Amino acid sequence: QILLLLRELQREFGMGMIFVTHDIGVAVEVSDRVAVMYAGEIVESGSVRDLIRDPRHPYTKGLLAANLHGAVKGARLQAIPGAPPALDAVPAACSFAPRCPVKLASCDLARPPVAVPATGRSVRCVLAG
């Protein structure tokens, strides 16, 4: 009910809102645009529609697969294996690489560049280019 009220207030007053959450399902309900963060940096951003229909970063794909929204009762949710890195030292390479199911050798060597696959989209992944 609170999320619906926030969305209604947003429309009524034409206001912008920054909503921070760990639940991508909630972000989808209250947002027009989403920035997915991992280990303190944005790894993918774009419209809700684009991120839901065509997620490009493996972490975004993992979050969407692990979400309860649209889950089949009794079916297991997919989980992202491993744990996030400690944030006391910024990794020199891709911070998601140790948990990534599609990691390349280059992911362990350097931080991936930010790709811009379309206007309004950005993805920090070597596979997004």
Side-chain angles (χ1 to χ4, degrees):
Q1 288 176 333
I2 292 171
L3 297 178
L4 292 174
L5 177 59
L6 288 171
R7 197 64 155 152
E8 185 179 310
L9 289 170
Q10 214 178 356
R11 286 189 186 108
E12 182 178 334
F13 295 107
M15 66 180 195
M17 177 174 49
I18 296 175
F19 193 86
V20 179
T21 181
H22 284 100
D23 186 336
I24 197 164
V26 169
V28 166
E29 293 296 324
V30 300
S31 305
D32 298 316
R33 295 189 50 77
V34 174
V36 176
M37 295 185 74
Y38 185 80
E41 71 179 350
I42 295 173
V43 295
E44 183 165 6
S45 67
S47 70
V48 167
R49 179 184 174 122
D50 288 343
L51 262 69
I52 296 301
R53 288 187 174 184
D54 185 25
R56 302 280 181 98
H57 194 279
Y59 183 60
T60 305
K61 291 176 184 180
L63 288 176
L64 290 169
N67 188 15
L68 286 174
H69 187 72
V72 177
K73 187 175 182 176
R76 292 184 61 98
L77 293 176
Q78 292 183 22
I80 300 171
L87 297 179
D88 56 351
V90 178
C94 176
S95 57
F96 190 64
R99 302 177 74 188
C100 186
V102 293
K103 176 178 86 167
L104 302 176
S106 62
C107 299
D108 288 324
L109 301 175
R111 284 173 31 103
V114 176
V116 181
T119 303
R121 294 278 314 259
S122 70
V123 185
R124 184 177 284 280
C125 182
V126 296
L127 299 173

